[in-house]
Amino acid sequence: MNKRVSLDDIAPIIRETLENDGEVSFISSGTSMLPTLRDRRDTVTLIKPPEKLKKGDVPFYQRDDGRYVLHRVIYTNDSDGTYVMRGDNQWTNEYNIRHDQIIGVLSEITRNGRKYSVDSRKYRLYVSLLPVIRFLRKSYYWFKSKVYAFIMQFKKR
């Protein structure tokens, strides 16, 4: 029997498990981390976060508004200990995420029964290529919008 449970209901269990050096796995949902994580198809495994996150880490955290998010660290602000986060499929950054908001950090992705550790060479190579992929995607969308505007110019006549 598959029963859906809200994160609010199981957050205390997740926190306790991770604090005791356990692991927590669940199916991710949402499109903000595409193509890294596919909506309701990939399973993420979290572990206890380190004392300090580094650029490229993917923490699971709770926003001040109560929502739970799994996004990548884009920048660490050493002066005040906060982080700048962004989903791999998003264009805007989220600023001032505090370490006390971090619940866990991604350690493994399971896709189609195959496990990918964030420590593997393949995953690290993928993360290192994300800025290039982002640039190509942004260029593609810019070009697509220009072509669309050009076509629409003739349809109005």
Side-chain angles (χ1 to χ4, degrees), residues 35-112:
T36 307
L37 298 172
R38 299 176 305 169
D39 183 31
R40 301 184 202 297
R41 293 174 66 190
D42 295 334
T43 299
V44 296
T45 300
L46 305 177
I47 58 172
K48 181 179 181 178
E51 290 295 318
K52 184 172 177 6
L53 298 176
K54 62 186 182 308
K55 183 178 176 180
D57 283 345
V58 181
F60 177 67
Y61 60 98
Q62 187 175 19
R63 290 180 174 153
D64 286 333
D65 67 6
R67 289 185 294 164
Y68 295 92
V69 184
L70 189 68
H71 282 170
R72 192 174 304 281
V73 175
I74 302 303
Y75 179 78
T76 61
N77 189 347
D78 292 330
S79 64
D80 64 2
T82 62
Y83 304 100
V84 177
M85 309 286 194
R86 182 177 59 225
D88 292 350
N89 192 33
Q90 295 185 320
W91 303 109
T92 56
N93 294 338
E94 184 174 2
Y95 296 91
N96 301 318
I97 302 301
R98 302 176 314 276
H99 196 76
D100 64 87
Q101 293 174 273
I102 308 299
I103 298 168
V105 66
L106 182 69
S107 68
E108 186 177 82
I109 300 167
T110 305
R111 175 175 289 171
N112 299 328

Side-chain angles (χ1 to χ4, degrees), residues 91 133-147:
W91 303 109
I133 294 167
R134 183 175 177 73
F135 171 77
L136 291 173
R137 284 181 57 231
K138 199 165 195 171
S139 299
Y140 165 75
Y141 288 121
W142 176 84
F143 180 74
K144 185 178 170 182
S145 71
K146 296 300 180 191
V147 169

